[in-house]
Amino acid sequence: MNEVKLGLHTFGDVTVDDDGARTSDAQTIRNIVDEAVLGDQVGLAYFGVGEHHRHEFAVSSPEIVLAAAASRTERIHLGTAVTVLSSDDPVRVYERFATLDAVSGGRAEAIVGRGSFIESFPLFGYDLRDYEALFDEKLDLFARLRDETPVTWQGTQRTALENADVYPKTENGFPVWVGVGGTPSSVVRTARYGFNLMLAIIGGAPARFRPFVDLFHRSLEQFGRDALPIGIHSPGHIAETDEQAWEELYPAMEENRNAIGAERGWPPYSRLQFQHDVGPEGALFAGSPETVARKIATAVRTLGAERFDLKYANGSMPHSTLMRSIELYGTKVAPMVDDLLGRG
């Protein structure tokens, strides 16, 4: 199989310090830049920052944070996880990524999606009744902007464009992924526009996403497109032993899941659910380097993925703990995954 690249994702979770005190939003953002720098130093392929507009998360403008990371890194690719395209303007999104691509020396990537949170819609004046139409139309316009030639376009959710040009121009374009939670129509739409597919696997066994992978391949063929990369986004945490990783992760994840679950009607998170999630049939990649490497290799092999991005921040864990997880991911897990997949 093709080489598998390992990356990192964070939603910009507001953390606590080593004494358990809540970190300020400003310090959290500075820490995220340091985490990107460490990811670069340990040889990881990608660092993605999510966009959110609520108190649990510090980052509402990912591209600014990524530009800061670009100035202190050399090789790691930088992008989002995800950009909420539905409540943004595709022209402005494209311009921001083209600018990030320039300052990073061609290392920008975009992961766009509808997002799993809705705060941005009323914040920026969008009606949730237009949820589907907003994403459909804006993705269509974003796809046309990739050619970096004048665009004529008309829809129902924003003003029309007539022979409009967009600046700055990139030197070689930049990769675009669509984050998909697992609906067939989303997979087909991603193939139709020729974007890479990023599967958000946050519950259940990765193997259950295999039909969506097969659908993506069939759809690309039907649309007359060449094969395109498939990636996996899943949460996790790494420590020296399984027990240490689980004890570090569970309290933060329980707090985070219960806070969000109270809004969405989820049952309380439990140790029993957590132990299922970290097991072979769960979507939580948490444990020792050996445990996490085996689970990544299995998921990658099962889905034929070319990239695995670990959502390494999951609630209010200390920055020092996250840094150790990143270090182990790059120095221990990555070589083990190579060996397990027969490339070491």
mmCIF file of all heavy atoms in Angstrom, residues 230-251:
data_model
loop_
_atom_site.group_PDB
_atom_site.id
_atom_site.type_symbol
_atom_site.label_atom_id
_atom_site.label_comp_id
_atom_site.label_asym_id
_atom_site.label_seq_id
_atom_site.Cartn_x
_atom_site.Cartn_y
_atom_site.Cartn_z
ATOM 1 N N ILE A 230 -7.558 9.031 1.006
ATOM 2 C CA ILE A 230 -8.540 8.911 2.083
ATOM 3 C C ILE A 230 -7.795 9.031 3.408
ATOM 4 O O ILE A 230 -6.740 8.419 3.601
ATOM 5 C CB ILE A 230 -9.278 7.570 2.009
ATOM 6 C CG1 ILE A 230 -10.143 7.517 0.744
ATOM 7 C CG2 ILE A 230 -10.136 7.331 3.256
ATOM 8 C CD1 ILE A 230 -10.718 6.158 0.462
ATOM 9 N N GLY A 231 -8.337 9.826 4.313
ATOM 10 C CA GLY A 231 -7.731 9.993 5.621
ATOM 11 C C GLY A 231 -8.703 9.617 6.725
ATOM 12 O O GLY A 231 -9.912 9.502 6.506
ATOM 13 N N ILE A 232 -8.164 9.415 7.921
ATOM 14 C CA ILE A 232 -8.950 9.089 9.107
ATOM 15 C C ILE A 232 -8.668 10.131 10.179
ATOM 16 O O ILE A 232 -7.508 10.463 10.443
ATOM 17 C CB ILE A 232 -8.576 7.698 9.656
ATOM 18 C CG1 ILE A 232 -8.855 6.600 8.627
ATOM 19 C CG2 ILE A 232 -9.330 7.401 10.955
ATOM 20 C CD1 ILE A 232 -8.281 5.242 9.020
ATOM 21 N N HIS A 233 -9.717 10.649 10.784
ATOM 22 C CA HIS A 233 -9.623 11.531 11.952
ATOM 23 C C HIS A 233 -10.253 10.799 13.121
ATOM 24 O O HIS A 233 -11.426 10.398 13.055
ATOM 25 C CB HIS A 233 -10.369 12.843 11.677
ATOM 26 C CG HIS A 233 -10.835 13.567 12.909
ATOM 27 N ND1 HIS A 233 -10.210 14.691 13.398
ATOM 28 C CD2 HIS A 233 -11.886 13.341 13.745
ATOM 29 C CE1 HIS A 233 -10.847 15.122 14.481
ATOM 30 N NE2 HIS A 233 -11.873 14.315 14.709
ATOM 31 N N SER A 234 -9.487 10.586 14.194
ATOM 32 C CA SER A 234 -10.022 9.925 15.387
ATOM 33 C C SER A 234 -9.344 10.489 16.630
ATOM 34 O O SER A 234 -8.176 10.864 16.588
ATOM 35 C CB SER A 234 -9.800 8.407 15.332
ATOM 36 O OG SER A 234 -10.693 7.791 14.431
ATOM 37 N N PRO A 235 -10.063 10.514 17.754
ATOM 38 C CA PRO A 235 -9.472 11.008 19.001
ATOM 39 C C PRO A 235 -8.587 9.972 19.674
ATOM 40 O O PRO A 235 -8.745 8.757 19.460
ATOM 41 C CB PRO A 235 -10.700 11.313 19.866
ATOM 42 C CG PRO A 235 -11.737 10.348 19.372
ATOM 43 C CD PRO A 235 -11.485 10.182 17.894
ATOM 44 N N GLY A 236 -7.654 10.442 20.497
ATOM 45 C CA GLY A 236 -6.806 9.511 21.238
ATOM 46 C C GLY A 236 -5.794 10.221 22.111
ATOM 47 O O GLY A 236 -5.742 11.455 22.166
ATOM 48 N N HIS A 237 -4.979 9.421 22.766
ATOM 49 C CA HIS A 237 -3.953 9.943 23.680
ATOM 50 C C HIS A 237 -2.923 8.847 23.911
ATOM 51 O O HIS A 237 -3.270 7.662 23.979
ATOM 52 C CB HIS A 237 -4.576 10.375 25.000
ATOM 53 C CG HIS A 237 -3.585 10.822 26.015
ATOM 54 N ND1 HIS A 237 -2.782 11.932 25.817
ATOM 55 C CD2 HIS A 237 -3.243 10.311 27.235
ATOM 56 C CE1 HIS A 237 -1.995 12.085 26.882
ATOM 57 N NE2 HIS A 237 -2.255 11.121 27.751
ATOM 58 N N ILE A 238 -1.660 9.242 24.055
ATOM 59 C CA ILE A 238 -0.571 8.278 24.197
ATOM 60 C C ILE A 238 0.228 8.591 25.453
ATOM 61 O O ILE A 238 0.548 9.751 25.734
ATOM 62 C CB ILE A 238 0.348 8.317 22.954
ATOM 63 C CG1 ILE A 238 -0.472 8.112 21.675
ATOM 64 C CG2 ILE A 238 1.443 7.250 23.049
ATOM 65 C CD1 ILE A 238 0.195 8.651 20.435
ATOM 66 N N ALA A 239 0.549 7.549 26.203
ATOM 67 C CA ALA A 239 1.441 7.643 27.357
ATOM 68 C C ALA A 239 2.310 6.390 27.374
ATOM 69 O O ALA A 239 2.212 5.533 26.490
ATOM 70 C CB ALA A 239 0.661 7.789 28.653
ATOM 71 N N GLU A 240 3.165 6.273 28.374
ATOM 72 C CA GLU A 240 4.101 5.148 28.395
ATOM 73 C C GLU A 240 3.403 3.799 28.519
ATOM 74 O O GLU A 240 3.874 2.796 27.982
ATOM 75 C CB GLU A 240 5.100 5.322 29.543
ATOM 76 C CG GLU A 240 6.269 6.250 29.237
ATOM 77 C CD GLU A 240 5.893 7.726 29.187
ATOM 78 O OE1 GLU A 240 4.736 8.072 29.523
ATOM 79 O OE2 GLU A 240 6.755 8.558 28.815
ATOM 80 N N THR A 241 2.260 3.757 29.219
ATOM 81 C CA THR A 241 1.512 2.510 29.382
ATOM 82 C C THR A 241 0.041 2.761 29.072
ATOM 83 O O THR A 241 -0.426 3.916 29.086
ATOM 84 C CB THR A 241 1.620 1.962 30.811
ATOM 85 O OG1 THR A 241 0.953 2.869 31.719
ATOM 86 C CG2 THR A 241 3.088 1.794 31.229
ATOM 87 N N ASP A 242 -0.693 1.673 28.814
ATOM 88 C CA ASP A 242 -2.132 1.805 28.604
ATOM 89 C C ASP A 242 -2.796 2.459 29.807
ATOM 90 O O ASP A 242 -3.593 3.399 29.668
ATOM 91 C CB ASP A 242 -2.758 0.423 28.381
ATOM 92 C CG ASP A 242 -2.402 -0.187 27.036
ATOM 93 O OD1 ASP A 242 -1.903 0.550 26.162
ATOM 94 O OD2 ASP A 242 -2.638 -1.396 26.866
ATOM 95 N N GLU A 243 -2.472 1.961 30.992
ATOM 96 C CA GLU A 243 -3.129 2.447 32.200
ATOM 97 C C GLU A 243 -2.884 3.929 32.415
ATOM 98 O O GLU A 243 -3.794 4.682 32.786
ATOM 99 C CB GLU A 243 -2.648 1.648 33.419
ATOM 100 C CG GLU A 243 -3.105 0.201 33.437
ATOM 101 C CD GLU A 243 -2.346 -0.692 32.442
ATOM 102 O OE1 GLU A 243 -1.258 -0.249 31.940
ATOM 103 O OE2 GLU A 243 -2.817 -1.794 32.145
ATOM 104 N N GLN A 244 -1.650 4.381 32.164
ATOM 105 C CA GLN A 244 -1.355 5.800 32.346
ATOM 106 C C GLN A 244 -2.135 6.642 31.345
ATOM 107 O O GLN A 244 -2.694 7.685 31.697
ATOM 108 C CB GLN A 244 0.147 6.054 32.186
ATOM 109 C CG GLN A 244 0.527 7.516 32.376
ATOM 110 C CD GLN A 244 2.013 7.772 32.142
ATOM 111 O OE1 GLN A 244 2.804 6.836 32.052
ATOM 112 N NE2 GLN A 244 2.390 9.038 32.050
ATOM 113 N N ALA A 245 -2.162 6.211 30.096
ATOM 114 C CA ALA A 245 -2.882 6.961 29.071
ATOM 115 C C ALA A 245 -4.363 7.061 29.411
ATOM 116 O O ALA A 245 -4.979 8.135 29.283
ATOM 117 C CB ALA A 245 -2.700 6.290 27.712
ATOM 118 N N TRP A 246 -4.946 5.951 29.867
ATOM 119 C CA TRP A 246 -6.368 5.966 30.185
ATOM 120 C C TRP A 246 -6.673 6.837 31.395
ATOM 121 O O TRP A 246 -7.677 7.565 31.397
ATOM 122 C CB TRP A 246 -6.854 4.530 30.408
ATOM 123 C CG TRP A 246 -6.673 3.643 29.208
ATOM 124 C CD1 TRP A 246 -6.504 4.031 27.910
ATOM 125 C CD2 TRP A 246 -6.619 2.216 29.202
ATOM 126 N NE1 TRP A 246 -6.349 2.934 27.094
ATOM 127 C CE2 TRP A 246 -6.421 1.800 27.853
ATOM 128 C CE3 TRP A 246 -6.721 1.234 30.195
ATOM 129 C CZ2 TRP A 246 -6.311 0.460 27.483
ATOM 130 C CZ3 TRP A 246 -6.623 -0.106 29.833
ATOM 131 C CH2 TRP A 246 -6.423 -0.484 28.494
ATOM 132 N N GLU A 247 -5.820 6.785 32.405
ATOM 133 C CA GLU A 247 -6.058 7.587 33.604
ATOM 134 C C GLU A 247 -5.870 9.075 33.327
ATOM 135 O O GLU A 247 -6.527 9.916 33.947
ATOM 136 C CB GLU A 247 -5.131 7.139 34.737
ATOM 137 C CG GLU A 247 -5.496 5.787 35.324
ATOM 138 C CD GLU A 247 -6.931 5.723 35.801
ATOM 139 O OE1 GLU A 247 -7.374 6.648 36.522
ATOM 140 O OE2 GLU A 247 -7.642 4.766 35.429
ATOM 141 N N GLU A 248 -4.979 9.419 32.404
ATOM 142 C CA GLU A 248 -4.791 10.824 32.038
ATOM 143 C C GLU A 248 -5.956 11.334 31.191
ATOM 144 O O GLU A 248 -6.371 12.483 31.323
ATOM 145 C CB GLU A 248 -3.473 10.990 31.281
ATOM 146 C CG GLU A 248 -2.234 10.814 32.160
ATOM 147 C CD GLU A 248 -0.940 10.849 31.368
ATOM 148 O OE1 GLU A 248 -0.986 10.784 30.110
ATOM 149 O OE2 GLU A 248 0.133 10.929 31.999
ATOM 150 N N LEU A 249 -6.461 10.481 30.315
ATOM 151 C CA LEU A 249 -7.470 10.917 29.354
ATOM 152 C C LEU A 249 -8.877 10.923 29.911
ATOM 153 O O LEU A 249 -9.648 11.848 29.632
ATOM 154 C CB LEU A 249 -7.406 10.025 28.109
ATOM 155 C CG LEU A 249 -8.446 10.286 27.016
ATOM 156 C CD1 LEU A 249 -8.341 11.721 26.506
ATOM 157 C CD2 LEU A 249 -8.269 9.291 25.866
ATOM 158 N N TYR A 250 -9.245 9.909 30.691
ATOM 159 C CA TYR A 250 -10.655 9.733 31.037
ATOM 160 C C TYR A 250 -11.281 10.946 31.732
ATOM 161 O O TYR A 250 -12.372 11.386 31.326
ATOM 162 C CB TYR A 250 -10.874 8.475 31.885
ATOM 163 C CG TYR A 250 -12.329 8.330 32.278
ATOM 164 C CD1 TYR A 250 -13.272 7.911 31.346
ATOM 165 C CD2 TYR A 250 -12.762 8.689 33.559
ATOM 166 C CE1 TYR A 250 -14.613 7.823 31.685
ATOM 167 C CE2 TYR A 250 -14.103 8.603 33.901
ATOM 168 C CZ TYR A 250 -15.024 8.166 32.960
ATOM 169 O OH TYR A 250 -16.356 8.089 33.287
ATOM 170 N N PRO A 251 -10.672 11.526 32.770
ATOM 171 C CA PRO A 251 -11.347 12.644 33.450
ATOM 172 C C PRO A 251 -11.641 13.817 32.520
ATOM 173 O O PRO A 251 -12.719 14.419 32.581
ATOM 174 C CB PRO A 251 -10.360 13.043 34.552
ATOM 175 C CG PRO A 251 -9.531 11.825 34.779
ATOM 176 C CD PRO A 251 -9.393 11.184 33.441
#
